[in-house]
Amino acid sequence: MAIKVRLEKPKLKISWPKLSFSSWLVRGVIGFVLLVGIVIFSVFLHYYNKYAKVVDERLKQPLFAETAKIFAAPREVRPGQKLTAHVIAAELRAAGYSIDGLSHPSQMGTFTEEGNQIIVRPGPQSYHAPDAATIRISKGEVQSVTDDKGQSLASYELEPLLITGLSEDANRTKRRLVTYDEIPPNLVQAVLAIEDRRFFEHGGVNYFSMAGWAWHDIIGDRKHRGGASTVTMQLAKLLFVADTGTIKYKISQILVAFHLEHRFTKKQIFEAYSNQINLGQRGSFSIQGFGEAAQVYFGKDVRQLDLAECAMLAGIIQRPNYFNPFRHPERTIERRNLVLDSMVETGSISKSQAERAKADPLHLVPGSVDASEAPYFVDIVRDQLIQKLGDRDFNREGLRIYTSLDPDLQRLATTSVDETQHIVEAAVDRKHARDRKLGKQYTYPQVALVALDPHTGQVLALVGGKNYGASQVNHAIAHRPTGSIFKPFVFAAAFQTAVQGTVLPGQNTLFSPVTILNDSQQTYDEGTENEYTPRNFEGAFYGDITARFALLRSDNNATISLASMVGFDQVAALARDSGIKSAKGTPSMAIGSYDATPLDMAGAYTVFSNGGVHIDPWTLASVRAPNGDVIDDYPPTSRQVLDPRVAFLTTSMMQAVLQGNGKQGCRIDGKVYCGTGAGVRNMGFVSPAAGKTGTSHDAWFAGFTTNLLCVVWVGNDDYTDIKIEGADAAAPIWADFMKRAVKLPQYSDTHDFTAPDGVDVVKLDRTTNLLSDDACPDSYSAAFLTGTAPTDTCDHPTDHRNILQKLFGVGGKTGE
């Protein structure tokens, strides 16, 4: 029996599990999360690449451009000066010298302080030749200066101090670049202890701190949010990302931090941070980086900071203005001590080290060179560099620019201008008393001060205005009518005729201080369609007066009368030779109608203070490469303009301008005893000096001692009449400055002016202007060209006046 087998294909039966709603939801969430992740990753990638380009673009240029460095003039140390070893050591440290014996000595130089002596050793980058010197000091006075062979030196110049970097930064920042190896380990540890303890461990972001920041931001608690920024993230903010305080900003900051960590080592990141971090404000400049801060706050190179100083700098990073050590020392100390405690917590210092550092006061130095680092002076230097170097990029080359500035004197100049403004403004208020009552507006004038070495033309200090931050107009180089400070050139021109043996028209003898001049109103041809009829400042006329009295009282008519006798063209030629280039031979020229700058007038007055030699004022001494090689030196130019006897004779008459004591009264028995500049004596300036007040639309005072010349100008920017005499507006500033200046060691050795051969100084009776003797005790000193002084005595005059005429001062021409 056959068996049939039926084969059937097996049926594949697939059984799908039944899914619940919750299972579908889970799958949906997973898919959504994946999608969101892809979107977030895409956005992250986009911004990562975006900020990669930002970083790339920024890094095409150096993070910190080189700047030319501007240095002050070197301080001269000489036996007899009042100086201490501590002051010299502090200045050497400020100049970048290191203490001898360090493993990495400064290329600028080293020094050793041994008791009462300091040994100075200039390095290869020094301004000076590498010749060592030993300075010995006893009881606050320099006893001797010797070279490395033991030979005595008359003087020795210390290293010039850095004034500023010639920054082109529009944000007006000052920075001294440092390398990581130059940063003291204590400073590194102090910063990390208070700012970023895991800096050397993380990859640019501290995620725990970041989570806390995000949480407080979400709940709106910004008070306790904190920064959560690592050092790398702070650098990202400083260099690449503007802080908006939002999550977007923080994400951008993180992305840039990743790029920085990828491109640089930790040391490079910290170095960049150390040069960029803001550490406060000084004048109109912000302090950027630890190098600049070390100098501003402590007067030190950053390598010389001690533990307490390192902790202070680290502490003020958080809020530099709030923790300003000059304004808020208590806050600063509290913050510094917190940093020291943090360093103990991290194990970088011991508890005992922290306690010793906490016991230290803040060893702050007074403001460096000047509150704004002599900005008007630096502007002049910048302009001269452009003139001399042309298109050369002196900033990128990092050139070292050596100048004429005396930092000590510059500080005093700035202080004097600041602290005498109330005197000037009070004088303006008095002049505008009526306007004040009527509610009318008026402005206070601007100021300029220029101080020179009268024998070298070195511009030692310069202030071009009241406030550089408010106005960068440099009034020290602005052309203004000179007023009566021009008058000494008229009298000098007259003395020149005497030296030449020429008798002036209308006179019988050679010109001298007792030559009689006519002080009456006269009319002159000014060379225009209008006639010129000058008047004296107070409207008074004295009749016949001596030349000495005419200058002493700044008499306009007598001065123009003398200029007409000498020749207006001859006076103008002398003025032009002295640097007053605009002077022309007209009657009004004699009383200062033509303009010059305060710097010009300071240079012009060197002909009186320097034996008749005019020296062009100079600010730029030398330009050198970063390694110290000389690129160019700029020696001053000078020329003989006056006979030395003429210079002294004119100076002697200008000394009389400062005579008198207003407190006792300037008029006795109807006679005038005071010069127009006598007020400077009332203000406490007592050193031997000569000077001249000036009043036109502006107020001036120009004067000098044997070692310092100063010109002060006060005036309105709109050229309106200030309506205040130079004696009331400019002289107080001059007196305040000079009174401070002569207390400095380098300007304290003032003495009487020395008469050259061919000049006789005699005593004259004030009534007769004849030689004084015991019968005529009311006398004054006057200088004469040899052979031109009176020969008769006051009790034996050639006119044989009787005793009553002599007693009452009548019967002859007098001037005092």
Side-chain angles (χ1 to χ4, degrees):
M1 176 174 150
I3 299 175
K4 289 184 177 180
V5 179
R6 187 179 179 185
L7 296 178
E8 294 182 359
K9 292 181 180 179
K11 294 183 179 178
L12 183 62
K13 187 176 183 181
I14 299 175
S15 175
W16 293 95
K18 294 183 179 180
L19 295 178
S20 65
F21 175 77
S22 59
S23 298
W24 281 106
L25 181 61
V26 170
R27 289 176 177 271
V29 169
I30 293 173
F32 178 76
V33 169
L34 288 174
L35 180 62
V36 170
I38 292 171
V39 171
I40 291 175
F41 178 77
S42 299
V43 172
F44 176 84
L45 191 61
H46 167 75
Y47 281 101
Y48 185 84
N49 291 330
K50 173 184 175 181
Y51 284 101
K53 294 178 180 178
V54 171
V55 173
D56 288 341
E57 194 64 30
R58 177 67 177 83
L59 295 180
K60 287 180 180 178
Q61 300 294 331
L63 286 179
F64 308 105
E66 276 288 344
T67 59
K69 294 179 175 61
I70 298 182
F71 293 85
R75 178 201 284 266
E76 186 179 75
V77 178
R78 57 182 182 272
Q81 273 188 334
K82 300 293 183 182
L83 276 176
T84 66
H86 175 72
V87 170
I88 295 175
E91 184 151 326
L92 289 170
R93 281 193 293 268
Y97 278 50
S98 61
I99 298 173
D100 200 23
L102 295 180
S103 56
H104 298 288
S106 169
Q107 293 296 295
M108 194 65 73
T110 62
F111 71 95
T112 303
E113 187 174 357
E114 299 174 347
N116 290 327
Q117 74 175 22
I118 288 185
I119 303 172
V120 185
R121 300 179 181 87
Q125 292 185 8
S126 171
Y127 176 71
H128 304 298
D131 298 325
T134 300
I135 303 170
R136 293 179 176 83
I137 298 170
S138 177
K139 297 179 181 180
E141 184 175 298
V142 177
Q143 297 299 309
S144 66
V145 182
T146 56
D147 62 18
D148 49 5
K149 297 179 182 178
Q151 299 295 316
S152 295
L153 300 175
S155 63
Y156 182 77
E157 290 185 341
L158 301 181
E159 193 69 34
L161 293 176
L162 179 66
I163 303 173
T164 182
L166 195 60
S167 175
E168 298 288 351
D169 192 337
N171 295 320
R172 299 185 60 73
T173 61
K174 293 299 177 186
R175 179 186 291 110
R176 301 183 191 214
L177 296 178
V178 297
T179 65
Y180 182 86
D181 291 336
E182 292 173 329
I183 303 170
N186 278 335
L187 182 53
V188 176
Q189 294 302 325
V191 172
L192 298 185
I194 199 68
E195 292 291 327
D196 186 2
R197 295 187 181 184
R198 298 184 62 249
F199 173 70
F200 283 104
E201 300 166 15
H202 61 62
V205 178
N206 187 327
Y207 296 102
F208 294 105
S209 297
M210 184 61 60
W213 180 92
W215 170 250
H216 286 292
D217 189 68
I218 290 170
I219 66 174
D221 184 13
R222 300 202 170 195
K223 181 177 179 181
H224 299 93
R225 182 181 63 174
S229 292
T230 63
V231 163
T232 311
M233 291 173 65
Q234 290 183 51
L235 181 62
K237 179 183 74 172
L238 293 169
L239 293 176
F240 301 95
V241 185
D243 188 353
T244 60
T246 64
I247 291 180
K248 178 182 177 182
Y249 147 71
K250 188 62 71 173
I251 293 172
S252 302
Q253 189 182 24
I254 292 170
L255 293 173
V256 173
F258 287 155
H259 283 291
L260 293 177
E261 290 279 347
H262 176 68
R263 292 168 183 267
F264 299 107
T265 66
K266 288 289 188 178
K267 288 184 177 181
Q268 289 173 323
I269 290 172
F270 194 90
E271 178 182 308
Y273 175 83
S274 298
N275 286 307
Q276 183 64 19
I277 191 68
N278 178 266
L279 291 162
Q281 193 82 12
R282 197 67 174 147
S284 60
F285 292 91
S286 63
I287 302 166
Q288 300 295 113
F290 294 127
E292 184 71 17
Q295 180 61 45
V296 169
Y297 293 126
F298 306 115
K300 289 183 176 181
D301 185 279
V302 70
R303 291 167 291 187
Q304 298 163 347
L305 296 177
D306 61 28
L307 174 58
E309 293 162 345
C310 289
M312 193 207 88
L313 292 185
I316 64 177
I317 291 172
Q318 184 189 57
R319 299 172 65 185
N321 291 325
Y322 182 81
F323 293 117
N324 185 320
F326 291 115
R327 295 181 180 177
H328 309 294
E330 299 84 5
R331 294 178 188 171
T332 308
I333 289 175
E334 183 179 355
R335 178 69 177 171
R336 177 201 67 181
N337 293 347
L338 176 62
V339 173
L340 291 167
D341 289 337
S342 297
M343 294 177 73
V344 173
E345 292 175 7
T346 61
S348 54
I349 61 172
S350 66
K351 182 72 173 176
S352 60
Q353 286 177 304
E355 293 305 317
R356 285 195 298 271
K358 287 180 181 180
D360 256 4
L362 297 178
H363 295 294
L364 303 175
V365 295
S368 56
V369 178
D370 134 73
S372 297
E373 299 176 317
Y376 295 102
F377 178 89
V378 170
D379 283 350
I380 291 175
V381 171
R382 185 197 305 273
D383 291 342
Q384 291 190 345
L385 284 171
I386 293 172
Q387 292 174 7
K388 295 180 182 297
L389 300 180
D391 294 332
R392 183 170 183 168
D393 194 345
F394 47 83
N395 235 339
R396 188 171 296 280
E397 291 182 49
L399 299 182
R400 294 162 65 180
I401 315 300
Y402 292 92
T403 72
S404 62
L405 193 77
D406 181 331
D408 293 333
L409 206 61
Q410 179 66 34
R411 273 192 290 270
L412 297 187
T414 303
T415 300
S416 291
V417 169
D418 289 343
E419 296 189 2
T420 54
Q421 281 309 296
H422 69 282
I423 299 175
V424 178
E425 291 175 2
V428 173
D429 288 338
R430 288 193 296 271
K431 288 293 182 180
H432 289 274
R434 180 179 175 84
D435 291 338
R436 293 179 68 188
K437 289 181 180 179
L438 296 175
K440 292 184 178 179
Q441 297 293 318
Y442 57 91
T443 59
Y444 293 117
Q446 272 290 353
V447 179
L449 183 153
V450 178
L452 301 183
D453 182 321
H455 307 298
T456 66
Q458 177 182 350
V459 179
L460 300 165
L462 185 144
V463 179
K466 294 188 295 185
N467 186 324
Y468 187 83
S471 171
Q472 291 80 53
V473 175
N474 195 341
H475 300 88
I477 53 174
H479 288 264
R480 308 293 295 217
T482 60
S484 294
I485 64 168
F486 181 89
K487 289 176 181 175
F489 294 93
V490 176
F491 291 84
F495 277 122
Q496 283 278 70
T497 65
V499 168
Q500 295 163 359
T502 303
V503 177
L504 295 174
Q507 301 291 324
N508 297 320
T509 59
L510 296 175
F511 179 77
S512 76
V514 294
T515 294
I516 299 300
L517 302 177
N518 178 21
D519 177 32
S520 60
Q521 195 163 53
Q522 299 181 54
T523 298
Y524 297 90
D525 179 7
E526 186 74 359
T528 63
E529 296 181 359
N530 298 322
E531 293 181 331
Y532 178 58
T533 305
R535 57 193 299 275
N536 291 331
F537 183 79
E538 296 175 338
F541 297 95
Y542 294 97
D544 287 345
I545 58 175
T546 64
R548 179 179 181 273
F549 184 80
L551 187 61
L552 179 148
R553 294 303 300 167
S554 196
D555 188 276
N556 287 341
N557 288 272
T559 302
I560 297 175
S561 174
L562 176 60
S564 69
M565 287 188 279
V566 174
F568 295 126
D569 288 337
Q570 283 68 30
V571 175
L574 171 60
R576 290 192 296 271
D577 287 344
S578 301
I580 309 173
K581 300 301 183 183
S582 66
K584 297 179 181 178
T586 63
S588 63
M589 172 255 333
I591 58 174
S593 64
Y594 294 98
D595 60 25
T597 71
L599 187 59
D600 289 338
M601 292 309 297
Y605 264 59
T606 60
V607 302
F608 305 126
S609 60
N610 195 42
V613 177
H614 175 268
I615 306 178
D616 291 322
W618 58 274
T619 58
L620 189 59
S622 180
V623 176
R624 303 194 178 187
N627 63 0
D629 291 345
V630 176
I631 293 175
D632 210 348
D633 290 328
Y634 304 101
T637 57
S638 62
R639 57 192 174 279
Q640 191 79 38
V641 172
L642 291 176
D643 186 289
R645 293 169 293 177
V646 172
F648 180 83
L649 292 168
T650 311
T651 296
S652 177
M653 288 177 62
M654 283 193 283
Q655 286 183 274
V657 174
L658 308 188
Q659 79 171 21
N661 189 334
K663 293 180 181 178
Q664 298 175 356
C666 285
R667 292 179 181 270
I668 302 175
D669 296 333
K671 300 172 187 175
V672 179
Y673 286 83
C674 292
T676 56
V680 302
R681 299 303 187 191
N682 300 337
M683 296 169 200
F685 177 70
V686 297
S687 299
K692 184 69 188 75
T693 56
T695 307
S696 55
H697 278 69
D698 307 334
W700 295 78
F701 195 94
F704 52 93
T705 64
T706 50
N707 58 14
L708 187 61
L709 188 160
C710 177
V711 172
V712 174
W713 167 89
V714 180
N716 292 326
D717 274 333
D718 61 3
Y719 280 80
T720 54
D721 193 342
I722 191 176
K723 298 180 180 178
I724 306 174
E725 296 178 57
D728 297 327
I733 302 172
W734 186 92
D736 186 90
F737 169 71
M738 294 294 284
K739 189 166 59 174
R740 296 172 190 267
V742 296
K743 294 178 182 178
L744 293 175
Q746 57 267 47
Y747 307 106
S748 60
D749 53 347
T750 59
H751 53 79
D752 288 323
F753 298 101
T754 303
D757 292 338
V759 170
D760 300 321
V761 179
V762 300
K763 284 188 174 294
L764 299 182
D765 169 47
R766 199 177 298 277
T767 299
T768 63
N769 293 310
L770 299 175
L771 294 175
S772 176
D773 57 21
D774 293 340
C776 312
D778 186 12
S779 63
Y780 65 92
S781 295
F784 289 83
L785 190 66
T786 297
T788 64
T791 55
D792 293 333
T793 58
C794 58
D795 61 339
H796 293 95
T798 54
D799 61 2
H800 303 293
R801 291 179 299 159
N802 60 46
I803 189 66
L804 290 177
Q805 288 176 314
K806 284 189 282 185
L807 283 174
F808 290 99
V810 296
K813 293 178 179 179
T814 64
E816 288 290 310

